[in-house]
Amino acid sequence: REDLWRVVLQGPRANLEIPELEFAIRPRDRRRVDTVYNMIASAVFHLGDHIQKNSRAGAISDEEVTKICATIDALNVLLDCEHPFTLVIDDPQGVSELKPMAGAHVGPRLEAIEEGPTEEPEQPGQDC
């Protein structure tokens, strides 16, 4: 549970990914500093707001609403820390940080290009 209170310094081009849900939190136009808990809670709020605004206008199908609600439920389960999950900071600029770093895994991200795999800057990740 204490991992939810780690502070993330999210770079302006960094995505926070939760692979277990195939979910990513994209940055705004500038750096963002907040706890893991608050970033996930903010995503829940914004997804709910998106449903509310677009349902009234008829701009979103019932199937899309169902899928978004399932994602909201899954994110809320993460906030309850019922199951461990992985948080990957994918930052092509390498300016993002996680505080405190103790217990977090930091490693290179490998991606294939035409000549073969190359390494990108180290990416912190954590388990809840």
Side-chain angles (χ1 to χ4, degrees):
R1 288 189 185 268
E2 58 273 358
D3 285 338
L4 290 173
W5 302 111
R6 289 182 191 251
V7 175
V8 177
L9 291 84
Q10 183 182 19
R13 294 180 50 205
N15 288 328
L16 303 181
E17 301 171 0
I18 303 169
E20 293 86 350
L21 301 181
E22 296 182 12
F23 185 79
I25 299 172
R26 296 212 166 126
R28 298 177 184 145
D29 293 330
R30 56 189 183 343
R31 284 182 65 108
R32 178 179 180 189
V33 179
D34 213 337
T35 63
V36 172
Y37 185 95
N38 286 341
M39 288 186 169
I40 294 172
S42 177
V44 167
F45 173 80
H46 288 292
L47 287 170
D49 191 51
H50 176 73
I51 289 173
Q52 186 178 26
K53 288 178 180 176
N54 289 291
S55 292
R56 287 188 205 150
I60 190 169
S61 71
D62 289 342
E63 181 182 348
E64 289 174 307
V65 169
T66 301
K67 289 178 181 178
I68 294 170
C69 286
T71 299
I72 290 171
D73 291 343
L75 290 170
N76 278 319
V77 168
L78 296 183
L79 292 177
D80 293 336
C81 216
E82 294 176 13
H83 306 285
F85 68 94
T86 306
L87 178 70
V88 176
I89 302 174
D90 184 11
D91 185 357
Q93 294 175 308
V95 297
S96 296
E97 296 181 50
L98 187 64
K99 302 281 183 169
M101 283 295 296
H105 170 74
V106 178
R109 182 175 175 117
L110 301 176
E111 296 207 12
I113 59 172
E114 290 180 31
E115 293 86 34
T118 62
E119 291 186 14
E120 287 193 12
E122 293 184 351
Q123 309 302 320
Q126 76 171 35
D127 290 328
C128 179

